[in-house]
């Protein structure tokens, strides 16, 4: 099955700086890669996703890049704000189910 | 985005009782729903995949007789934790995939149900 690894597990950044989270996946057949943000006690919220026919996607301060050859994808958050503090999960899907990374706890220092 | 509701949001029960959790897709049809379990500070672990009108597919290590799943309609799936024990205490989250149009792969999560078994 698919195995998704996510790094780092924790990330502390100064407000206004950028945050980068990296994930790798094992199944070359995976073709859909969403990123979720989860605040404490809340549901995971989809913040951005990318499909395997695209190398990069951007939505305001959030961007995701995908390298199919290397089987890794990354989340970039620019101009971080305190409300960006949360746990972020990457995921990959090949057949029908999502496999999640272990999560990254992002703390934005004011 | 699409809305997924889950009920109840939290439940406390005695050991040995059964608890039913409902998951509904409110504004879209979901032929497939997923049930996850999340322990504190950990990732989401898929328990089973629920397909409308057919039996659920359970992940390895998940007891199908303990975690009963029913997906009777395109907008409702239920998870019943039978004979619950303290080790079943967790955050249970459902998810539904919007099978329509361009959102064919997008998966939306419910708000979760926090279960505490005494």
């Amino acid at each position: 099955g698919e195995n998704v690894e996510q790094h780092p597990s924790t990330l502390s950044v100064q407000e206004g700086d950028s945050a980068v989270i990296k994930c790798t996946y094992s199944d070359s057949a995976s073709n859909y890669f969403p990123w979720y943000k989860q605040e404490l006690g809340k549901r995971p919220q989809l913040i951005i996703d990318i499909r395997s026919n695209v190398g990069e996607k951007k939505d305001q301060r959030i961007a995701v890049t995908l390298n199919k050859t290397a089987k890794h994808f990354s989340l970039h958050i620019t101009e971080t704000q305190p409300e960006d503090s949360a746990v972020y999960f990457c995921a990959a899907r090949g057949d029908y189910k999502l496999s999640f990374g272990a999560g990254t706890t992002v703390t934005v220092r004011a | 985005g699409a809305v997924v509701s889950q009920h109840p949001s939290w439940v406390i029960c005695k050991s040995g009782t059964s608890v039913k959790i409902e998951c509904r897709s409110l504004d879209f049809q979901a032929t497939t729903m997923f049930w996850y379990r999340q322990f504190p500070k950990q990732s989401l672990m898929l328990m089973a995949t629920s397909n409308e009108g057919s039996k659920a597919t359970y992940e390895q290590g998940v007891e199908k007789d303990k975690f009963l799943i029913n997906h009777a309609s395109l907008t409702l799936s239920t998870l019943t934790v039978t004979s619950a024990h303290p080790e079943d205490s967790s955050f249970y989250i459902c998810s539904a995939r919007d099978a329509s149009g361009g959102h064919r792969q997008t998966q939306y999560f419910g708000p979760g149900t926090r279960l505490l078994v005494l």
Side-chain angles (χ1 to χ4, degrees):
Chain A
E2 175 65 275
N3 181 45
V4 178
E5 294 192 356
Q6 183 171 347
H7 299 280
S9 57
T10 60
L11 180 60
S12 179
V13 295
Q14 188 68 39
E15 183 178 358
D17 288 350
S18 295
V20 180
I21 304 170
K22 298 182 179 182
C23 290
T24 61
Y25 61 99
S26 61
D27 188 352
S28 57
S30 289
N31 56 19
Y32 175 63
F33 308 90
W35 287 86
Y36 289 89
K37 175 184 179 182
Q38 186 180 31
E39 298 178 1
L40 189 62
K42 301 288 184 62
R43 77 181 83 194
Q45 296 270 19
L46 178 70
I47 56 172
I48 196 168
D49 58 10
I50 191 168
R51 288 162 174 77
S52 59
N53 59 345
V54 176
E56 184 174 353
K57 183 176 178 181
K58 188 174 182 180
D59 183 4
Q60 299 182 343
R61 296 187 296 110
I62 295 173
V64 58
T65 59
L66 171 65
N67 183 326
K68 285 183 60 181
T69 303
K71 288 189 283 189
H72 66 69
F73 55 114
S74 301
L75 177 72
H76 303 252
I77 307 173
T78 58
E79 301 173 30
T80 54
Q81 300 168 5
E83 52 265 36
D84 294 329
S85 296
V87 179
Y88 292 81
F89 293 98
C90 63
R93 182 170 71 214
D95 45 10
Y96 66 96
K97 61 183 181 181
L98 286 174
S99 295
F100 284 87
T104 297
T105 301
V106 174
T107 303
V108 180
R109 307 187 306 272
Chain B
V3 178
V4 177
S5 71
Q6 202 170 327
H7 178 80
S9 56
W10 60 270
V11 59
I12 302 173
C13 69
K14 293 182 179 180
S15 185
T17 60
S18 294
V19 175
K20 179 186 280 190
I21 302 170
E22 292 187 349
C23 177
R24 294 181 185 271
S25 56
L26 298 185
D27 52 0
F28 66 98
Q29 293 186 332
T31 54
T32 305
M33 290 185 174
F34 304 87
W35 287 96
Y36 295 84
R37 184 172 178 174
Q38 187 177 35
F39 290 108
K41 298 186 178 182
Q42 292 191 22
S43 189
L44 295 97
M45 299 303 298
L46 181 64
M47 299 174 64
T49 302
S50 169
N51 298 297
E52 186 265 336
S54 64
K55 291 183 179 180
T57 303
Y58 289 82
E59 294 300 301
Q60 191 172 7
V62 178
E63 300 176 57
K64 59 181 180 181
D65 294 331
K66 180 169 184 62
F67 299 99
L68 301 178
I69 291 172
N70 183 277
H71 193 158
S73 76
L74 288 173
T75 59
L76 173 64
S77 177
T78 61
L79 167 68
T80 301
V81 183
T82 62
S83 187
H85 288 93
E87 57 266 29
D88 297 324
S89 300
S90 188
F91 192 46
Y92 292 86
I93 312 176
C94 73
S95 178
R97 185 189 302 176
D98 185 347
S100 65
H103 300 283
R104 196 164 286 118
Q105 297 195 69
T106 305
Q107 197 167 313
Y108 300 96
F109 284 86
T113 296
R114 195 163 299 281
L115 171 64
L116 177 60
V117 184
L118 302 176

